Amino acid sequence: MALFGITMKRELLTIFIVVFILVGLPVGAFLYQRQQTHSDPTKRVIIIQAAVPEAGGFQPATIKVNAGETVTLRFSSVDVTHGIAIGPGLGIDLGHVDPGHVKEVTVTFDKAGTYTFYCNTWCSPDHWRMRGIVEVIDPTNPDAIPTAYHDPIIERLVAEGVNIDANVTMGSMADHPQPDVLTFDHPPSIEKGNLLVASLAIPSELEDADWRLSHTPTEGLTLLQAMNPATSIEELINAIAYLWVTDTPLEDIEWAENYFNQNCAACHGQAGDGNGPAADQTAESPVAFADLTYMFGMRSDVLYAKIRRGGMGTDMPNFGTLLTPKETLKLVGYLWQLAWQSEDD
């Protein structure tokens, strides 16, 4: 009996140790982290739990604050690792929030409007649904209806009758003679294009950033070829590649690359090949920005509209609630960098 009692005590001790390791330590670490997170008691703290969309997503999914109010948004994950960001235009990225851990940000929303908190780390097949809303209310007029935002780029596309969902979009030169069917043995070289443009006759249209925004590289190539008939098509393509990236400064490209890798690469692939780890889970195959034939027939303003509005009939979500127009244009600039990836990189 004594031996049996000793054995039972050892088994109970073993069970206690296992339970302590599996449950006690994580709970203790969580409580310790909560204790170490000091918040100003005069400011409101809003606790937001993140779970995969199939388990409810963000809870609460909508929060309301007054304009001018300073609040602390405290995020935790209850299941998998989530990435937490808030936009548009706030530049808030809390990074990864692992299960049982907490990250928070204290922010003052100066103006009435709507902001979005969202997950920027692939967490499930329905990852794109991981969004919540911050409604910032004018305390002097709490029942005011938010003023609709007018986007001049998208409004111009609508007025022009452009099909934003079309894969290839020609602009006002659609009826002009186009180059022979373009074939690409290798990606164009931005560096070679940069060295070449000084020796070319550049049409005034191609020197106009707004014209480049609303026309395709193929249309630009048509004009460039007409004024430089003795230059090879390969060299002219290099020049077009250079001209199409001149509108986006390097620091904007670096920001956009990071944003793309966090929010877009899961479907479109980090190299823009349309073969990201989640590509086979989408309703339609994601666009391959490294497809030169596709990109030479695409317009920057259409890419902008697709990003902000989302893809109708696809799993491409809208990013218009996450990004400012300026941030969206940075991302468009990076898509051209992906298209022109070459031996320069």
Side-chain angles (χ1 to χ4, degrees):
M1 288 295 292
L3 181 60
F4 176 76
I6 293 173
T7 302
M8 285 292 295
K9 288 180 180 179
R10 287 178 177 174
E11 290 178 352
L12 290 173
L13 180 60
T14 301
I15 293 172
F16 174 79
I17 292 173
V18 170
V19 171
F20 177 75
I21 292 174
L22 295 178
V23 178
L25 288 179
V27 171
F30 176 76
L31 293 176
Y32 175 78
Q33 186 172 3
R34 289 287 295 271
Q35 185 180 16
Q36 296 302 306
T37 305
H38 300 291
S39 299
D40 186 338
T42 65
K43 296 181 177 65
R44 185 154 63 109
V45 177
I46 301 174
I47 297 174
I48 304 169
Q49 290 188 326
V52 294
E54 298 87 339
F58 287 111
Q59 295 296 330
T62 301
I63 60 177
K64 295 183 178 182
V65 301
N66 288 326
E69 180 183 6
T70 298
V71 296
T72 295
L73 304 180
R74 181 174 295 163
F75 293 89
S76 64
S77 169
V78 299
D79 46 19
V80 300
T81 296
H82 295 279
I84 305 297
I86 309 174
L90 298 178
I92 297 175
D93 186 344
L94 299 182
H96 287 164
V97 180
D98 296 321
H101 290 257
V102 174
K103 285 192 176 179
E104 65 180 40
V105 61
T106 299
V107 59
T108 302
F109 295 95
D110 295 323
K111 297 180 180 179
T114 302
Y115 297 86
T116 302
F117 51 92
Y118 59 101
C119 177
N120 60 11
T121 297
W122 184 262
C123 60
S124 86
D126 287 333
H127 162 74
W128 61 272
R129 291 169 47 201
M130 282 292 295
R131 299 184 179 188
I133 296 174
V134 181
E135 293 183 7
V136 183
I137 301 167
D138 181 354
T140 64
N141 190 12
D143 297 324
I145 299 175
T147 303
Y149 171 73
H150 295 283
D151 191 316
I153 294 178
I154 294 180
E155 288 177 352
R156 183 172 64 181
L157 287 170
V158 173
E160 191 180 335
V162 172
N163 180 2
I164 296 174
D165 294 309
N167 284 336
V168 178
T169 305
M170 302 301 287
S172 58
M173 295 181 58
D175 297 330
H176 288 226
Q178 301 298 318
D180 295 335
V181 176
L182 297 176
T183 57
F184 302 94
D185 296 327
H186 51 77
S189 169
I190 297 172
E191 181 178 338
K192 291 178 181 177
N194 182 23
L195 296 174
L196 179 65
V197 290
S199 63
L200 295 176
I202 305 297
S204 59
E205 292 91 339
L206 288 178
E207 295 178 341
D208 182 353
D210 191 61
W211 190 94
R212 294 194 300 272
L213 178 73
S214 58
H215 291 77
T216 70
T218 296
E219 292 172 308
L221 183 61
T222 299
L223 296 178
L224 197 60
Q225 192 174 30
M227 294 187 66
N228 301 272
T231 306
S232 72
I233 191 71
E234 181 177 353
E235 289 180 305
L236 294 178
I237 287 174
N238 290 337
I240 288 295
Y242 168 73
L243 291 170
W244 248 253
V245 300
T246 55
D247 300 321
T248 311
L250 179 59
E251 59 269 23
D252 290 349
I253 291 295
E254 292 173 347
W255 176 91
E257 179 180 13
N258 180 64
Y259 194 90
F260 180 91
N261 289 339
Q262 286 184 322
N263 297 277
C264 314
C267 294
H268 293 284
Q270 192 164 339
D273 55 8
N275 194 29
D280 60 353
Q281 301 176 36
T282 59
E284 291 189 5
S285 298
V287 168
F289 301 112
D291 181 344
L292 293 174
T293 301
Y294 173 86
M295 291 299 282
F296 254 80
M298 183 49 63
R299 292 165 46 164
S300 292
D301 54 359
V302 173
L303 289 171
Y304 170 95
K306 286 176 179 287
I307 293 169
R308 294 196 64 76
R309 196 200 63 173
M312 298 299 179
T314 74
D315 286 334
M316 169 69 183
N318 81 76
F319 282 80
T321 58
L322 312 185
L323 299 171
T324 65
K326 184 177 180 180
E327 290 169 338
T328 308
L329 288 172
K330 292 179 185 180
L331 195 54
V332 170
Y334 179 65
L335 297 184
W336 291 115
Q337 289 278 351
L338 284 177
W340 310 150
Q341 289 183 96
S342 69
E343 61 270 15
D344 299 342
D345 302 320

